[in-house]
């Protein structure tokens, strides 16, 4: 369980320089959490995404490479460009890929996804995971990515939606604490409820054949590995990680936060259940 | 869209006589709504449920037969006993089955699922859909069903969870109106958030090998039939149907209800999305 107090509420942060001042985390603890999360969810999130060998693929907002290694595992032989705004994250991503996929063909790009220095139509496919939720204008971000995607090429977008979380036992205190993720994301200019918006956002950005499907995680006592890997080490850890930020912002009290967190943890205890929905979209650049 | 004001918040009502006074609906409009809903959701809910020909199957709380016809379609040759507390519902179920599955072997039983007059272990399989949410003590109901299930036989339980509903555009007014379903269900002695509890409930009732999986409905503009069949004709219709009951109970005002309903309908409009999770459980009588 992370006790880091400066981490972001989600992974793969992309920030428009000068626009927003929300707190990112680049600690070893946070990188470990992101790796845990990605490994637990790899099958769920990456199923159905396999690019032909030789494809030119862009991963925009690769962060610490937590998803990058799974993308490469599912699509051997692609020529990947992995971009991120954070040089520190890129270095971690590079180390992770070197360790787990040493033969992969990856070009690392340090820069803003809104201003990628690639010619129009440079890529066959674009992959974006847990990025749009951080952008103040996700349609603008998607339009910038569409520019570098060839006509007929696909974009794949994966996002969570914190409003999809529900649990047993139901608890008003736990719900208020979970809602802090959404409120902090909103204050930082993002949207913690973005998953449900993927279809209209991609449509507004000019993509065609937009297909969105939910990818649901449900954990109960019959699946202890998922309770540990998702409920506790992914979701509860993500909530716990914003404690200091939420207190500093005056959105909660230590007592209220800790009560909510304790009640949320009951979803991972005997007789508890936990549910969360990710959304995965695929669309085409017409 | 139903405008019936006396219907229940959900289908297949089962009431313990003398215990609870919540309002049921047995109107033609309501029966039509239940049929629409069942037809839209049949693949989602019934997939994976197919009993061998000759099996002795009990459907407890068959209501107007909306699920019964799908059960029979997926399991030709079973010997079905369909039970319900309401003679009126049973008559409708009988008519529906006669029309849609005239060759089916069905015994109709009018009675309370808690007090079924069948010997222990009478059935190979038990099927229960949208029933437990209405019971004041779902563990007692499940235990009564386990009594008539043979050792090694299975129970299949399908339930919704109104707390799983979320939508775009997000709206506090819509959310409050949806929450009325849960509040009315609670006042009637039931639980509109029961889906998430299936694993602990079945475990507490003595079942083994309890497996619960979410079955998620997600509708956006790319799926107009689902928007019409589920978002509007199932979910919005269900909310709309409790208007008079919610007003009579003093839980809302006409203005607040109608505003919430109007905002909820935007989920079925341009750029809107709607999400709901059902839960399906299968367990064994050890």
């Amino acid at each position: 369980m992370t006790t880091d107090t400066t981490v972001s509420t989600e992974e793969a942060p992309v920030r428009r320089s000068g626009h927003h001042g929300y707190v990112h985390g680049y600690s070893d603890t946070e990188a470990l959490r992101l790796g845990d999360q990605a490994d637990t969810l790899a099958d769920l999130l990456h199923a159905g995404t396999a690019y032909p060998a030789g494809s030119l693929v862009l991963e925009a907002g690769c962060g610490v490479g937590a998803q990058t290694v799974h993308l490469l595992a599912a699509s051997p032989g692609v020529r990947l460009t992995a971009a991120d705004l954070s040089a520190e994250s890129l270095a971690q991503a590079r180390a992770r890929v070197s360790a787990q996929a040493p033969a992969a063909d990856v070009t690392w790009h340090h820069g803003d996804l809104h201003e990628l220095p690639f010619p129009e139509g440079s890529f066959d496919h674009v992959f974006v995971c847990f990025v749009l939720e951080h952008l103040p204008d996700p349609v603008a971000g998607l339009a910038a990515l569409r520019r570098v995607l060839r006509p007929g090429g696909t974009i794949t977008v994966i996002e969570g939606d914190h409003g999809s979380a529900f649990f047993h036992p139901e608890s008003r205190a736990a719900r208020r604490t979970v809602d802090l993720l959404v409120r902090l994301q909103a204050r930082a200019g993002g949207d913690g409820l973005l998953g449900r918006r993927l279809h209209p956002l991609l449509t507004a950005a000019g993509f065609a054949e937009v297909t969105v499907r939910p990818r649901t995680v449900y954990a109960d006592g019959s699946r202890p590995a998922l309770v540990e890997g998702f409920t506790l080490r992914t979701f509860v850890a993500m909530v716990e990680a914003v404690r200091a930020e939420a207190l500093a912002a005056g959105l909660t009290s230590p007592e209220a936060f800790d009560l909510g967190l304790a009640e949320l943890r009951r979803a991972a205890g005997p007789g508890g259940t936990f549910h969360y929905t990710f959304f995965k979209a695929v669309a085409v650049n017409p």
Side-chain angles (χ1 to χ4, degrees), chain A residues 52 54-58 78-81 121-126 149:
Chain A
S55 301
L56 296 167
V57 179
L58 170 67
V78 297
R79 297 163 62 193
L80 180 68
T81 298
S122 295
F123 298 97
D124 299 313
H125 303 287
V126 173
L149 181 60

Side-chain angles (χ1 to χ4, degrees), chain A residues 67-194:
Chain A
Q67 305 301 330
T68 315
V69 291
H70 295 289
L71 187 160
L72 290 167
S75 299
V78 297
R79 297 163 62 193
L80 180 68
T81 298
D84 204 90
L85 195 63
S86 158
E88 298 91 326
S89 290
L90 270 183
Q92 289 187 65
R94 196 167 194 154
R96 190 185 296 260
V97 167
S98 295
Q100 295 187 37
D105 177 353
V106 184
T107 302
W108 302 95
H109 175 75
H110 178 209
D112 189 325
L113 67 79
H114 299 82
E115 295 151 10
L116 293 170
F118 309 117
E120 284 190 23
S122 295
F123 298 97
D124 299 313
H125 303 287
V126 173
F127 180 87
V128 197
C129 186
F130 304 143
V131 173
L132 298 187
E133 63 181 310
H134 299 291
L135 304 185
D137 183 350
V139 172
L142 288 169
L145 294 174
R146 189 162 79 83
R147 188 190 69 77
V148 299
L149 181 60
R150 70 165 167 78
T154 71
I155 186 168
T156 296
V157 186
I158 300 172
E159 292 287 340
D161 189 311
H162 300 332
S164 76
F166 61 95
F167 34 83
H168 177 69
E170 175 66 60
S171 152
R172 193 175 293 249
R175 193 154 292 281
R176 278 209 204 94
T177 297
V178 169
D179 283 345
L180 293 171
L181 292 176
V182 180
R183 296 169 68 191
L184 288 169
Q185 193 87 313
R187 288 166 64 103
D191 182 5
L193 308 177
L194 191 130

Side-chain angles (χ1 to χ4, degrees), chain A residues 139 196-205 210:
Chain A
V139 172
R196 71 188 73 178
R197 295 171 60 202
L198 281 181
H199 192 276
L201 291 174
L202 283 157
T203 302
V210 181

